[in-house]
């Protein structure tokens, strides 16, 4: 009788140990999944912030700069001060984006591409008043195309383009791609 009691106690102990081990393994995998999901969501939030708090304003200011400089280069001399003021605004937007890049660019892998966008802006800004109106439109259109490609890069780098929920995917696509391209299309008219 004592032997049966010991055997059942042993089997109960083994069963408890197996349950505890199983729960530990399941807890580990759950923790890994939640940590991964937290990182994905964090990157998506960073991408969203970058696009909407920094790049959208940059795009809008550059598009407005195109219109103002085209008016100036078409003969309306009164637009020069507006052009210069818009350049100052673009530089302010760049400084804000630089602060974001300093904090998060390495994590998103966007730093080198952002440096190229800024360098291209400096080049365009430096020679804009020596262009013809049609050259100005072409140069700005190419620069804006590069900026829109950077939007796509940020969308991909942050994981926004990988959203598995169809509703939020299409909403993200609308906001990060379709509307910026539409605004550029309308700005060229």
């Amino acid at each position: 009788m004592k032997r049966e009691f010991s055997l059942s106690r042993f089997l109960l102990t083994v069963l408890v140990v197996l349950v505890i081990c199983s729960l530990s393994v399941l807890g580990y995998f759950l923790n890994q999944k939640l940590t991964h999901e937290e990182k994905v969501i964090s990157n998506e939030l960073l991408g969203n912030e970058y696009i909407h708090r920094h790049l959208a304003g940059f795009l809008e200011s550059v598009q407005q700069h195109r219109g103002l400089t085209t008016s100036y280069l078409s003969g309306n001399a009164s637009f020069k001060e507006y052009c210069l003021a818009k350049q100052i605004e673009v530089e302010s937007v760049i400084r804000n984006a630089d602060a974001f890049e300093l904090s998060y660019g390495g994590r998103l892998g966007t730093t080198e591409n952002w440096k190229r966008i800024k360098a291209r802006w400096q080049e365009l800004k430096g020679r804009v008043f020596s262009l013809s109106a049609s050259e100005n439109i072409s140069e700005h259109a190419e620069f804006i195309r590069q900026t829109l490609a950077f939007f796509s890069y940020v969308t991909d780098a942050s994981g926004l383009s990988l959203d598995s929920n169809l509703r939020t995917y299409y909403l993200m696509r609308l906001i990060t791609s379709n509307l910026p391209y539409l605004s550029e299309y309308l700005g060229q008219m």
Side-chain angles (χ1 to χ4, degrees):
M1 177 93 163
K2 190 168 183 149
R3 192 169 201 191
E4 285 180 24
F5 182 70
S6 291
L7 182 60
S8 44
R9 188 179 242 180
F10 173 74
L11 290 175
L12 181 61
T13 304
V14 168
L15 182 63
V16 168
V17 168
L18 286 174
V19 168
I20 290 172
C21 288
S22 297
L23 289 175
S24 296
V25 169
L26 290 174
Y28 170 79
F29 285 120
L30 178 62
N31 184 47
Q32 291 298 313
K33 180 172 175 36
L34 292 176
T35 301
H36 174 73
E37 287 179 6
E38 179 183 345
K39 183 179 179 188
V40 167
I41 291 169
S42 177
N43 281 347
E44 287 177 345
L45 289 171
L46 286 176
N48 186 52
E49 179 181 351
Y50 198 4
I51 289 170
H52 294 98
R53 294 185 86 186
H54 304 290
L55 297 180
F58 178 71
L59 176 65
E60 180 181 353
S61 295
V62 170
Q63 289 170 325
Q64 291 170 351
H65 183 262
R66 174 184 52 203
L68 293 168
T69 54
T70 300
S71 294
Y72 171 75
L73 295 169
S74 296
N76 193 337
S78 67
F79 273 78
K80 186 162 188 175
E81 79 178 62
Y82 298 119
C83 296
L84 295 172
K86 188 55 68 175
Q87 287 177 350
I88 291 169
E89 181 182 313
V90 171
E91 294 297 324
S92 174
V93 172
I94 287 173
R95 280 191 300 278
N96 289 336
D98 281 345
F100 181 88
E101 266 295 330
L102 186 63
S103 298
Y104 304 109
R107 181 170 161 187
L108 292 174
T110 55
T111 303
E112 290 307 313
N113 289 339
W114 175 241
K115 285 179 182 176
R116 283 192 286 277
I117 294 289
K118 290 189 321 181
R120 179 71 175 98
W121 163 252
Q122 292 302 323
E123 176 189 319
L124 178 61
K125 181 181 87 166
R127 59 191 209 99
V128 72
F129 293 116
S130 65
L131 300 172
S132 69
S134 64
E135 290 171 331
N136 178 61
I137 291 170
S138 295
E139 292 280 333
H140 273 83
E142 177 58 23
F143 177 66
I144 290 168
R145 186 196 62 71
Q146 292 168 358
T147 301
L148 289 170
F150 185 59
F151 267 62
S152 295
Y153 183 83
V154 171
T155 300
D156 291 342
S158 65
L160 283 168
S161 59
L162 302 174
D163 199 333
S164 60
N165 182 320
L166 281 180
R167 287 184 195 163
T168 55
Y169 170 78
Y170 285 117
L171 180 60
M172 174 283 310
R173 189 83 180 140
L174 177 70
I175 293 170
T176 62
S177 181
N178 297 4
L179 290 177
Y181 276 95
L182 178 63
S183 76
E184 175 53 16
Y185 176 75
L186 294 174
Q188 289 182 11
M189 296 183 121

